[in-house]
């Protein structure tokens, strides 16, 4: 495996000598990960993570470790004509997901599964800003990740209902019907055991920007025996800008081990529904 990366930090501090002073610092990191050799014989092996439909992680020469693997979702069958003209696909029916015939042999099989995403970001970085004005001070820290994918395994339970349970609210309002052909989800059908196959439907953009910390303080003037007294209010995880539909795009590390030792690098970017980060206020 080959890793290439770069880290950087740049900052600026104001040169003003008056009441107002400020400082800003930008930090960032970029890396590229690629498997260049496995054992000289095989060119791939599956990762340790999976679900009821099998594994959805693959490690393949020429690609990043822990890549996401499955069918390419090619829309929803809109009419019987599309079903008849499409490559032969088990369970094909109007209102169900359609898979891309990746190898072009006219039949959808396991050989049409391919790499459909990577958990590795193109860039991660943060922004520190602090300022003072007289006795007041302010500091904030933003952190973000760009270009990484997330495998939203929650869909297996909240969209496709493996058993009698609650589902996403929009499963009703955004499922395919003859009058809602641009829907996100396939038609509501208890007998549809095909649309839930692991595919690019499970893969979402995991990029985000989060205000991790904001603090505003005031240093009280000296009062008799009391000195160096500071009062402040602080907020953590105040807001997150993201298109990810899950609870939290900042996923924790999944600790997993195998015969070769720690395999956490093969379990990146997978959302099994961990508890999201708390929003915390401190005074």
């Amino acid at each position: 495996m080959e890793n290439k990366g770069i880290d950087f930090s740049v900052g600026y501090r104001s040169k003003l000598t008056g009441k107002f002073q400020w400082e800003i610092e930008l930090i960032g990191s970029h890396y590229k990960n690629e498997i260049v050799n496995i054992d000289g014989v095989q060119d791939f092996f599956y990762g340790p993570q999976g679900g009821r439909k099998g594994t959805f992680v693959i490690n393949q020469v020429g690609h990043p470790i822990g890549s996401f693997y499955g069918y390419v979702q090619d829309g929803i069958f809109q009419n019987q004509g599309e079903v008849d003209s499409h490559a032969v696909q088990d369970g094909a029916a109007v209102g169900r997901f359609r898979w891309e015939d990746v190898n072009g042999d006219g039949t959808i099989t396991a050989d049409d599964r391919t790499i459909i995403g990577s958990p590795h970001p193109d860039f991660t970085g943060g922004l520190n800003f602090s300022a003072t004005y007289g006795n007041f001070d302010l500091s904030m820290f933003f952190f973000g990740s760009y270009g990484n994918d997330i495998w939203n395994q929650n869909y297996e339970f909240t969209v496709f209902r493996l058993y009698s349970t609650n589902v996403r609210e929009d499963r009703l309002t955004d499922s395919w019907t003859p009058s809602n052909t641009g829907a996100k989800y396939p038609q509501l059908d208890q007998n549809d055991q095909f649309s839930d196959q692991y595919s690019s439907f499970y893969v979402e953009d995991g990029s985000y920007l989060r205000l991790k910390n904001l603090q505003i303080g005031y240093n009280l003037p000296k009062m008799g025996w009391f000195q160096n007294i500071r009062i402040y209010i602080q907020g953590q995880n105040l807001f997150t800008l993201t298109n990810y539909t899950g609870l939290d795009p900042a996923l924790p590390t999944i600790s997993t081990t195998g015969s070769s030792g720690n395999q956490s690098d093969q379990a990146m970017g997978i959302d099994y529904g961990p508890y999201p980060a708390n929003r915390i206020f401190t005074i």
Side-chain angles (χ1 to χ4, degrees):
M1 186 170 62
E2 183 179 64
N3 280 300
K4 296 180 180 179
I6 183 173
D7 299 312
F8 70 88
S9 174
V10 293
Y12 178 79
R13 176 179 296 174
S14 67
K15 298 180 180 179
L16 299 178
T17 58
K19 289 185 176 181
F20 178 70
Q21 295 187 9
W22 59 275
E23 184 176 356
I24 190 170
E25 180 187 24
L26 176 66
I27 57 176
S29 178
H30 164 77
Y31 71 91
K32 180 181 180 181
N33 175 277
E34 181 181 343
I35 299 174
V36 295
N37 183 57
I38 297 177
D39 60 3
V41 179
Q42 59 182 342
D43 63 357
F44 78 91
F45 64 95
Y46 296 115
Q49 299 301 310
R52 294 173 183 249
K53 294 292 183 178
T55 183
F56 48 74
V57 173
I58 194 171
N59 305 290
Q60 185 170 342
V61 172
H63 297 274
I65 192 169
S67 293
F68 301 140
Y69 181 72
Y71 294 101
V72 177
Q73 186 215 351
D74 189 29
I76 297 176
F77 288 113
Q78 300 294 327
N79 51 63
Q80 189 59 43
E82 288 189 6
V83 175
D84 296 339
S85 62
H86 187 63
V88 177
Q89 177 179 318
D90 287 344
V94 176
R96 294 180 178 178
F97 278 164
R98 182 177 63 219
W99 311 132
E100 182 178 324
D101 184 13
V102 172
N103 62 12
D105 65 356
T107 304
I108 304 299
T109 67
D111 292 335
D112 289 298
R113 293 177 299 171
T114 186
I115 291 177
I116 50 180
S118 169
H120 300 278
D122 296 326
F123 174 83
T124 58
L127 177 70
N128 273 305
F129 177 80
S130 61
T132 60
Y133 181 79
N135 289 349
F136 287 95
D137 62 85
L138 175 146
S139 64
M140 61 178 64
F141 175 60
F142 290 89
F143 182 82
S145 178
Y146 173 76
N148 57 295
D149 294 318
I150 291 178
W151 182 279
N152 193 346
Q153 183 64 7
N154 300 292
Y155 281 155
E156 189 168 43
F157 303 93
T158 62
V159 171
F160 297 114
R161 287 195 58 164
L162 296 173
Y163 42 78
S164 181
T165 181
N166 292 326
V167 295
R168 293 175 60 100
E169 182 179 12
D170 64 349
R171 184 64 168 100
L172 177 63
T173 60
D174 204 9
S175 290
W176 188 94
T177 66
S179 60
N180 187 29
T181 57
K184 177 180 179 180
Y185 306 119
Q187 182 173 243
L188 288 167
D189 181 358
Q190 191 68 25
N191 297 317
D192 183 3
Q193 302 299 314
F194 304 94
S195 294
D196 62 347
Q197 299 295 315
Y198 293 151
S199 70
S200 54
F201 172 76
Y202 289 81
V203 180
E204 297 187 47
D205 179 13
S207 303
Y208 72 93
L209 176 66
R210 171 170 291 170
L211 178 54
K212 294 278 290 182
N213 189 80
L214 172 65
Q215 186 178 114
I216 301 173
Y218 180 75
N219 293 286
L220 294 173
K222 182 178 179 181
M223 298 179 293
W225 290 351
F226 298 99
Q227 56 183 329
N228 299 325
I229 297 177
R230 179 175 177 269
I231 58 175
Y232 70 90
I233 181 171
Q234 176 177 277
Q236 294 175 262
N237 303 318
L238 293 180
F239 67 81
T240 302
L241 302 177
T242 183
N243 289 323
Y244 181 57
T245 63
L247 293 177
D248 191 346
L251 300 173
T253 300
I254 298 177
S255 179
T256 179
T257 58
S259 58
S260 58
N262 190 307
Q263 297 178 321
S264 298
D265 54 357
Q266 300 176 48
M268 296 174 59
I270 301 172
D271 187 352
Y272 284 117
Y275 200 81
N278 290 315
R279 181 178 294 130
I280 302 173
F281 294 95
T282 306
I283 297 178

